[in-house]
Amino acid sequence: MAATIAAIVGMCAIAEAAEDAGHGSGAHTEAVWDGLRQGGTEEEALAAAGFAISREAPAWMSAEVLDESWTVRYADEQWSIVRVDIPLGTEECAARIANALQSKGWTSVESGYEGVDTFVKAEGSCSWLMVEWAQHADGVSAVMHIRHA
């Protein structure tokens, strides 16, 4: 039950991040909920909302954002919204992601919101990244919103 709730929270966070990025007005969240109400799996609901599952990350994403220890669960077509799962608690996960991003040239910037971290970078093809956290039984899901040129 806890895993299902965490999956729904993670899927809605991904869908809402897509909408915040201008990829629709409620369409992503509605597509996810419709898929779940019709008995679809997490993967089916996200695929219906336009998210790819288990794709290889583009070179810029691997070089500028991802760490090899993270498990990418979902990404939109542009890789501007990505969910990664890390089998740690929220604070440990946040520290691990911050350290990995800082090693790739990112600087942490106070977001002003609990459970949301933001980062900026002066060089490379990415300039801004926001991470939202969702704790679940198996660890933490981090939904990243990435501004890529």
Side-chain angles (χ1 to χ4, degrees), residues 71-86:
T71 301
V72 175
R73 289 292 305 268
Y74 306 103
D76 67 350
E77 290 182 20
Q78 298 81 24
W79 284 81
S80 61
I81 301 165
V82 179
R83 175 184 163 189
V84 297
D85 288 349
I86 301 173

Side-chain angles (χ1 to χ4, degrees), residues 38-78:
Q38 294 171 9
T41 66
E42 175 183 3
E43 289 82 8
E44 291 167 339
L46 283 167
F51 293 92
I53 301 158
S54 301
R55 292 189 322 176
E56 185 175 336
W60 65 265
M61 183 70 171
S62 296
E64 295 189 47
V65 178
L66 296 178
D67 182 85
E68 62 275 353
S69 67
W70 303 347
T71 301
V72 175
R73 289 292 305 268
Y74 306 103
D76 67 350
E77 290 182 20
Q78 298 81 24

Side-chain angles (χ1 to χ4, degrees), residues 1-59:
M1 179 72 158
T4 301
I5 292 170
I8 292 169
V9 168
M11 288 187 296
C12 289
I14 291 171
E16 289 170 8
E19 289 155 14
D20 291 345
H23 298 294
S25 178
H28 289 293
T29 301
E30 194 60 36
V32 168
W33 281 113
D34 283 348
L36 293 173
R37 280 192 290 259
Q38 294 171 9
T41 66
E42 175 183 3
E43 289 82 8
E44 291 167 339
L46 283 167
F51 293 92
I53 301 158
S54 301
R55 292 189 322 176
E56 185 175 336

